[in-house]
Each structure stands twice: as C-alpha cells, then as structure tokens.
Amino acid sequence: MLKVGLTGGIGSGKSTVARIFSDLNVPVLDADEIAHHLVEIGQPALTQIQQAFGLEILNSDGSLNRKELRDLVFTNSRQKQKLEAILHPLIYAVLNAELEQQSAPYCIISIPLLFETKMMHFVDRILVIDCPVQVQIERVTARDKLSLERIHSIINSQVSRAHRKEHADDLINNSGTDYRLAEQVKKLHNLYLSLSAFQD
C-alpha cells in the first residue's frame, strides 16, 4: 500500500484536503486525532504529561487543560521537546497499528509535524498543502481566535514554507477556491492509484 504523508503549516487547509480524499473513499489516518485521543482521561499519556508538567496542566475534572499546555510549549522550546518526547513515539505506534488494518491501494496519513519530527521515512510520498503565510494567519485568527503573537510563535516553531515546498513530492496550492482544491485532489488521487500498482 502506498503511504502518502499529508502535511503543511497551521491554517494551510490540511483538514479540508483530508476530507476530500476521504470523500473519495481513501483511508485517512490523522496524527492530530490520535494525539487528542492519547491525552483523554484514563490514557497513560495524560498521566505522563501530568507527571512531567505538574497538576496545573489539568482542569478541575482531571482532563487536560489544552490552552495551558499550548501556552507552555509555544513559549518554551525545552518544554515543547519534553511533550514531544512523550507523545510522538505513542502517535507513531498507533499509526503503525492502524496501517496494518488497511487494505486500500493507498492511504493518506495526515502528519502536521512530519518534517519537524524528522519522520519523512515513515511515508512513501510527501504531499504538502501550501498557502501564503498571511493566508495562514487570517484563517487561524478566524478559526481559533488566537492572538497574533501566539499564531506567529506557532508558525515560527514549524519548518518554513520554503522548506516544505522544497521537500514535497506533491504540492497542493490552497490559496484559492474549494473547487480548485477538489480538482487538484482528484488529479493526485488518480496519480496515487496508478503509483500504488507498483507497490509491493
């Protein structure tokens, strides 16, 4: 099975592209969804995070205070590395387990931090969703209601737009309309189906 890693900066439109692939009956595995599940109450990762960052990282009901954690890791690179050391091995272990259940010609693996985690070898091809940084900022501002300072700190913590484009096997320009987006996805869908025929 051909494994296509879907990545891109915050606000680039990864979820929208993943949804279009899903509408074409392509399996989509999502590292962010796995990460969210791993930190739910009762999950071992939540216990590890609490031990690493203290009780103040939890809400009164014992759930993860995502805002508190986000503020902490995006203002302190060492704390960010500490969190990633807990979560990333667990995320990739779940992805491996989910991949074993797949039988489609190809699948999309949405990994926002594919380059940052240096896990490019985990996939056969890299699909980058690209748009100008200003468009990213506008989308994230509207969607997440984050401050401009926080959005910039997140963007700065990720690899540059130029780096992603340079290391992409495939590129989707998501600065235009949804119609244009669907058109680009359909072309790649046909490409991936033909490439998958050459996979072991």
Side-chain angles (χ1 to χ4, degrees):
M1 181 178 61
L2 182 72
K3 294 178 291 185
V4 179
L6 184 156
T7 194
I10 186 171
S12 59
K14 297 180 296 294
S15 299
T16 305
V17 171
R19 192 163 55 246
I20 299 171
F21 275 109
S22 185
D23 289 343
L24 294 168
N25 295 315
V26 178
V28 176
L29 311 184
D30 190 316
D32 271 358
E33 282 183 15
I34 292 168
H36 275 261
H37 174 68
L38 286 171
V39 296
E40 288 175 357
I41 292 176
Q43 292 293 323
L46 182 59
T47 305
Q48 290 181 50
I49 289 170
Q50 180 258 305
Q51 289 169 348
F53 295 97
L55 283 170
E56 62 271 15
I57 216 70
L58 302 179
N59 293 311
S60 56
D61 64 356
S63 63
L64 181 65
N65 185 328
R66 295 178 189 279
K67 182 185 181 303
E68 185 75 28
L69 186 61
R70 185 171 59 210
D71 288 348
L72 188 64
V73 300
F74 284 113
T75 53
N76 186 321
S77 61
R78 288 183 68 182
Q79 298 285 49
K80 184 168 175 284
Q81 288 166 4
K82 196 196 296 185
L83 177 65
E84 289 170 349
I86 294 169
L87 283 180
H88 289 168
L90 296 171
I91 290 168
Y92 283 105
V94 174
L95 282 172
N96 268 319
E98 290 188 354
L99 279 167
E100 288 178 11
Q101 308 300 316
Q102 303 301 325
S103 58
Y106 80 93
C107 75
I108 297 291
I109 310 174
S110 178
I111 309 177
L113 299 179
L114 182 66
F115 292 117
E116 290 81 358
T117 55
K118 296 181 169 50
M119 289 294 285
M120 293 79 76
H121 62 276
F122 190 76
V123 296
D124 301 308
R125 287 184 78 82
I126 297 174
L127 167 58
V128 167
I129 316 304
D130 178 61
C131 68
V133 172
Q134 189 53 43
V135 174
Q136 286 180 261
I137 292 168
E138 288 166 7
R139 286 176 180 161
V140 177
T141 302
R143 182 188 71 192
D144 298 339
K145 307 292 188 284
L146 298 176
S147 69
L148 204 54
E149 183 185 9
R150 175 62 68 245
I151 295 168
H152 277 294
S153 72
I154 293 171
I155 289 173
N156 291 337
S157 75
Q158 300 178 338
V159 299
S160 69
R161 180 188 182 195
H163 180 93
R164 276 191 293 265
K165 290 171 76 172
E166 185 183 338
H167 293 86
D169 295 300
D170 307 297
L171 191 70
I172 282 183
N173 180 339
N174 188 24
S175 48
T177 64
D178 281 354
Y179 169 75
R180 180 81 184 93
L181 199 59
E183 200 177 76
Q184 292 179 83
V185 170
K186 192 68 186 2
K187 280 183 183 172
L188 285 174
H189 175 61
N190 292 331
L191 171 67
Y192 297 152
L193 284 175
S194 65
L195 289 174
S196 68
F198 298 99
Q199 289 291 111
D200 292 333

